[in-house]
Amino acid sequence: MQHLKNDSLQEVSRVRLLPISGTVGTVHTTPLSILDNSVVRFALTSAVWYFDPGDDATNGLSSTELADSLQITVYSYPHWTGQLHWLPYNPAAGQRHGRVAVTHGSPNDPGIELIQATHARSLASLVPDSEERIARGAWDANACPSAHLLCPTSLALHNTDECAGQPCVSVQLTTFVCGGLAVAVRIVHCIADAIALFQFVKDWSAVHRARSARMPLPRLAPLFDPALVDGEAAGDLACDAPDPTLLAIERSLPMHRYDWWASADGCPAPMRDATQVPDVLRGADLGPPGEPMPWADWDVFAPAAHFLVYFTPGEVRRMWEDASQPTSTPTTGAARVSRLDALLAFVWRLVVRARGMARDPALVNMAVTVGLRSRVAPRLPDNVLGSPITLVRVSLPGTEIAGFGSELGAPTLAAAASAIRAAMAEFTPAALGALLHEMAHAVNPQRTWRAFLGRRHSIVTSWQNLDAYGVDFGGGRAPRYVDAVMPSMDGCLHVMEAGPASAAPGAGRWYDEPVCVSLHLVENVMESLLKDPELRKYRDG
């Protein structure tokens, strides 16, 4: 297939938006949370919504009007218009290294970047609609990579230590020759995870609908208070040394603890800078080294294919029924696996088989992204902004993931799904308190990477309850396509809804609709996966 090039993209304008009034003039500096600091080096939180043109010239989306609505929305997100920056390292005053804050309220703030662009192709020529994609069962998403539809931008602390004058949020509105429009949002991960991204876009769309209908504007209530997350930490965060009891709890949690500063040997050149201890910490007590990264497992230069694979509600149900069978080593009181556990177990099996490790007795790893808002007690409000997430490690021999370790006869998903459920269950409120305590005392929060990629590793993110296709800027039209923009790296996986829901918002469950799994795998592995007869093992009928 001939893949898209970006020579049809034309930038029209680029401006910075600040709150119109009320929040400029009083300067505030707010340190980000313990967890926000840990994801500074993560990929951007990013998504693109593609909307078809209207039925006539009067009911399509206007980039000019969307820009006006965005300007109003920005008033409720003043911290996102501010300057992200490092806090000065000062151990004598208790200020640890690698901590980040945002300062906002000045007329000189970087603002939110707004780019307007045009594209010389029609939207329908770039991406099939959701019904066609689902009917195909799998779609080559590299045919329309959003990276080729986005103008270059420089965001604060993204792939750099630089931040001065750079925004932490970029919005792009791209109008296609057919009249269709793409709404793209890119945010530095320490400012927003997917939940915060979706709140922002849904707030913006609510403002736009109200303005279009000449109705009163909605009251927006995003909550930017990083201290709420830090308040969930156990123990004393200000003392010189962490609590050994809490450290022991943290160390018992199933997590990767790869140490950038212990991983220079074999590190590919593009990442080598991250393995160097900062000059200001040379001679300081860095604590015991963590685990070196297994660079031999990951060819970072190998091109990754990107396919979206679709599963019907019936397929997901049958996966769950298979995964719910008793394992050969049942655990008393084990929690029942969820539909997501079963789906992830099945995708993990497919990846292991495609990588040729179905009969490999060595461990294979999956890092699953989990949010903390709903896991602490009492739970944090859903409107809390920031990036309160971490990564859970699930590890099993390749034989067990593929099902060949079963003593019950035919391979099942039970072992892998149960391992996923058991690992997630360890992250109780008390365990999270210990984890936050350890992270608060870390010499540098970006030193540890709790995931890896390559042949024995995968990273999974799920957006299946965020209603991506429910974003409505007016007219009741669902997006033609929503791209959850993820790094194109071997082993990066993502789960979300496949298209607009058939039921009213909130009336159904995510697994009552088709589901989309986004797979980034090296090309030969992707080819093997798509040809695997197991791919449609749970097919309807």
Side-chain angles (χ1 to χ4, degrees):
M1 178 179 290
Q2 183 177 2
H3 289 167
L4 177 68
K5 296 182 178 179
N6 62 352
D7 52 5
S8 299
L9 182 69
Q10 181 68 46
E11 182 176 320
V12 175
S13 65
R14 187 183 297 244
V15 298
R16 302 282 183 86
L17 302 181
L18 290 171
I20 296 174
S21 63
T23 60
V24 173
T26 302
V27 177
H28 303 273
T29 295
T30 306
L32 299 190
S33 78
I34 296 167
L35 290 170
D36 295 337
N37 281 290
S38 72
V39 301
V40 169
R41 302 301 189 196
F42 279 29
L44 298 175
T45 304
S46 180
V48 186
W49 286 261
Y50 294 90
F51 293 91
D52 282 318
D55 297 329
D56 56 54
T58 63
N59 66 358
L61 292 177
S62 161
S63 61
T64 301
E65 293 176 0
L66 283 169
D68 291 342
S69 299
L70 176 61
Q71 175 67 79
I72 294 171
T73 307
V74 165
Y75 177 82
S76 297
Y77 290 81
H79 41 282
W80 283 9
T81 69
Q83 179 66 72
L84 202 63
H85 59 91
W86 298 108
L87 288 168
Y89 174 53
N90 186 356
Q95 181 57 60
R96 299 180 175 107
H97 187 264
R99 272 58 178 184
V100 176
V102 63
T103 297
H104 70 90
S106 165
N108 298 318
D109 286 345
I112 288 179
E113 180 178 66
L114 172 61
I115 301 169
Q116 298 203 45
T118 60
H119 200 280
R121 297 269 299 274
S122 70
L123 189 51
S125 72
L126 296 173
V127 57
D129 62 28
S130 58
E131 290 185 1
E132 182 179 345
R133 296 196 307 275
I134 294 169
R136 290 184 187 181
W139 177 61
D140 182 359
N142 274 340
C144 182
S146 291
H148 286 165
L149 293 168
L150 295 174
C151 298
T153 189
S154 296
L155 298 183
L157 302 183
H158 176 57
N159 290 334
T160 177
D161 284 334
E162 300 301 319
C163 55
Q166 296 179 348
C168 54
V169 181
S170 179
V171 175
Q172 181 173 322
L173 303 174
T174 304
T175 302
F176 296 89
V177 69
C178 60
L181 190 135
V183 177
V185 182
R186 292 173 279 183
I187 310 178
V188 177
H189 212 308
C190 61
I191 287 290
D193 62 359
I195 289 177
L197 164 67
F198 274 74
Q199 178 171 349
F200 172 67
V201 173
K202 290 187 175 183
D203 280 350
W204 177 14
S205 64
V207 168
H208 189 74
R209 291 196 308 273
R211 291 185 73 245
S212 299
R214 299 186 179 182
M215 299 291 288
L217 295 178
R219 179 180 175 85
L220 308 184
L223 179 57
F224 177 65
D225 187 358
L228 287 176
V229 175
D230 291 357
E232 300 298 330
D236 185 351
L237 305 187
C239 64
D240 291 339
D243 184 317
T245 301
L246 294 173
L247 280 188
I249 296 173
E250 184 277 334
R251 287 293 166 180
S252 71
L253 293 173
M255 308 183 83
H256 288 298
R257 295 173 179 85
Y258 291 121
D259 185 346
W260 279 104
W261 298 348
S263 301
D265 288 348
C267 179
M271 303 177 178
R272 203 163 292 152
D273 285 350
T275 67
Q276 303 303 304
V277 177
D279 290 341
V280 295
L281 292 179
R282 295 193 183 277
D285 180 7
L286 303 181
E291 185 177 358
M293 296 182 189
W295 296 116
D297 287 347
W298 183 18
D299 180 358
V300 301
F301 301 106
H306 179 204
F307 270 76
L308 305 184
V309 179
Y310 297 90
F311 298 104
T312 67
E315 286 178 296
V316 174
R317 176 177 56 80
R318 282 182 278 277
M319 292 174 201
W320 175 70
E321 291 170 347
D322 187 5
S324 298
Q325 295 182 35
T327 64
S328 57
T329 54
T331 302
T332 302
R336 191 178 188 186
V337 300
S338 69
R339 260 73 167 187
L340 181 60
D341 299 334
L343 175 62
L344 294 182
F346 180 57
V347 173
W348 200 10
R349 172 195 284 182
L350 293 174
V351 172
V352 164
R353 286 168 58 90
R355 286 173 167 171
M357 297 186 294
R359 296 189 181 275
D360 190 334
L363 289 178
V364 180
N365 308 290
M366 174 182 283
V368 183
T369 306
V370 296
L372 272 71
R373 291 177 183 84
S374 62
R375 288 182 173 270
V376 296
R379 63 176 291 158
L380 295 177
D382 291 336
N383 63 338
V384 167
L385 301 183
S387 201
I389 62 170
T390 193
L391 289 149
V392 176
R393 174 182 55 80
V394 189
S395 300
L396 280 178
T399 51
E400 289 193 37
I401 299 166
F404 292 110
S406 173
E407 299 173 3
L408 302 179
T412 74
L413 298 176
S418 297
I420 293 169
R421 176 52 33 200
M424 305 283 274
E426 298 222 20
F427 287 77
T428 62
L432 290 170
L435 172 63
L436 291 171
H437 179 87
E438 185 277 335
M439 295 174 72
H441 282 275
V443 174
N444 177 292
Q446 298 92 43
R447 174 183 177 178
T448 301
W449 190 18
R450 300 188 186 275
F452 202 70
L453 290 164
R455 188 167 181 267
R456 291 193 176 274
H457 303 266
S458 301
I459 301 175
V460 179
T461 303
S462 57
W463 291 7
Q464 81 279 2
N465 282 317
L466 296 183
D467 191 26
Y469 283 84
V471 171
D472 177 13
F473 282 97
R477 290 195 312 276
R480 180 185 188 88
Y481 172 47
V482 181
D483 186 7
V485 182
M486 297 286 163
S488 189
M489 297 179 176
D490 182 26
C492 190
L493 315 178
H494 179 269
V495 180
M496 66 180 289
E497 59 199 284
S502 58
R509 296 160 298 190
W510 68 268
Y511 49 81
D512 294 329
E513 306 282 349
V515 63
C516 171
V517 179
S518 169
L519 303 171
H520 294 267
L521 299 167
V522 291
E523 293 173 349
N524 65 312
V525 171
M526 184 71 79
E527 183 179 0
S528 295
L529 186 148
L530 294 174
K531 291 179 178 179
D532 189 343
E534 285 270 308
L535 177 60
R536 294 302 168 189
K537 175 179 179 179
Y538 301 98
R539 187 189 299 273
D540 299 354

